[in-house]
Amino acid sequence: MSGALVIISVYLFLVGSCVASFINVVIDRVPQGKSIVSDRSHCDACQHPIKAYDLIPVISYILLRGKCRYCKQKIGLQSFIIECLGGLMMLFCFYRFGVSWMTPLSFLIFMILLAVTMIDFDTMTIPNGLVISLFVLAVLHCFIWPELDLLTRVIGMVSVSGIMLAMTLMIPDSFGGGDIKLMAVSGFLLGWANNLLAAFIGILIAGVYAIYLLMTKKNSRKDHIAFGPYLSVGIFMALLYGNDIIRLYLSLFHL
């Protein structure tokens, strides 16, 4: 690996971890109805405001050994993991798309889907603000990826969400409103074919996890699980590799 590539990789990792640090704030504060910009960061245990030099993504956690500088209480590992994941995913998106607008766009889409995942796991809800943010990125995708025409995107908006809405009307609580809105925006982002693929991947993963919960008796058939995280995995996989997966599938039947 050349020196220039090392410098670029380190830079991208730092940028990605900084964005992920902000996503940590979103994950923590949005469900509580708190501002994500005006309130100062503080230790949850002792409420002491955290100085800027203790908010450096990844590095501060390591230097502080995962503890608050003031009260020495342990800092949750989740924030550190998300910051590392943000840095790694920035590198991954760069590896996938190279020097193009798709690199930052796909990374930001991943960050929003990550926030959706964590918040849905914790609260069983998907905030409208995150869905709107994803829609804004989907609109930008129209200009960055003009190969996907507007009609295909509009059809995509109802290709999955319409079915989910109909099922919810027939069988109450089949899907949450957040899941339906998420797949509507996903359809505009991906188009109908890749949106169907995203839904299939999400349902497949959720189904496997649900079977595991039933077999281990951690859930009963009447219990609900958060569906947004699995849909988010499907959406991101379809964004990155959807066309390749579909071509591979069709090649099996020589279509």
Side-chain angles (χ1 to χ4, degrees), residues 20-42:
S21 181
F22 173 74
I23 291 298
N24 270 324
V25 176
V26 172
I27 293 170
D28 179 58
R29 297 184 184 179
V30 167
Q32 302 179 57
K34 296 181 179 179
S35 171
I36 60 175
V37 292
S38 61
D39 294 338
R40 286 193 61 185
S41 297
H42 59 271

Side-chain angles (χ1 to χ4, degrees), residues 43-54:
C43 172
D44 292 334
C46 66
Q47 302 301 310
H48 195 289
I50 301 175
K51 302 293 185 181
Y53 50 75
D54 285 336

Side-chain angles (χ1 to χ4, degrees), residues 174-191:
S174 297
F175 297 99
D179 298 327
I180 296 172
K181 286 179 280 189
L182 178 65
M183 292 312 295
V185 173
S186 170
F188 189 77
L189 171 68
L190 301 172

Side-chain angles (χ1 to χ4, degrees), residues 31-106:
Q32 302 179 57
K34 296 181 179 179
S35 171
I36 60 175
V37 292
S38 61
D39 294 338
R40 286 193 61 185
S41 297
H42 59 271
C43 172
D44 292 334
C46 66
Q47 302 301 310
H48 195 289
I50 301 175
K51 302 293 185 181
Y53 50 75
D54 285 336
L55 291 173
I56 304 171
V58 180
I59 296 174
S60 290
Y61 186 92
I62 295 173
L63 293 177
L64 292 171
R65 298 182 180 180
K67 297 180 180 179
C68 171
R69 180 183 294 275
Y70 306 99
C71 67
K72 306 305 179 183
Q73 283 288 329
K74 287 186 177 181
I75 302 171
L77 189 61
Q78 175 180 302
S79 297
F80 175 72
I81 292 174
I82 289 177
E83 289 171 356
C84 290
L85 183 60
L88 293 173
M89 286 308 301
M90 175 60 94
L91 290 173
F92 180 78
C93 291
F94 177 71
Y95 172 79
R96 177 69 180 89
F97 294 108
V99 183
S100 74
W101 285 110
M102 275 302 297
T103 293
L105 182 67
S106 60

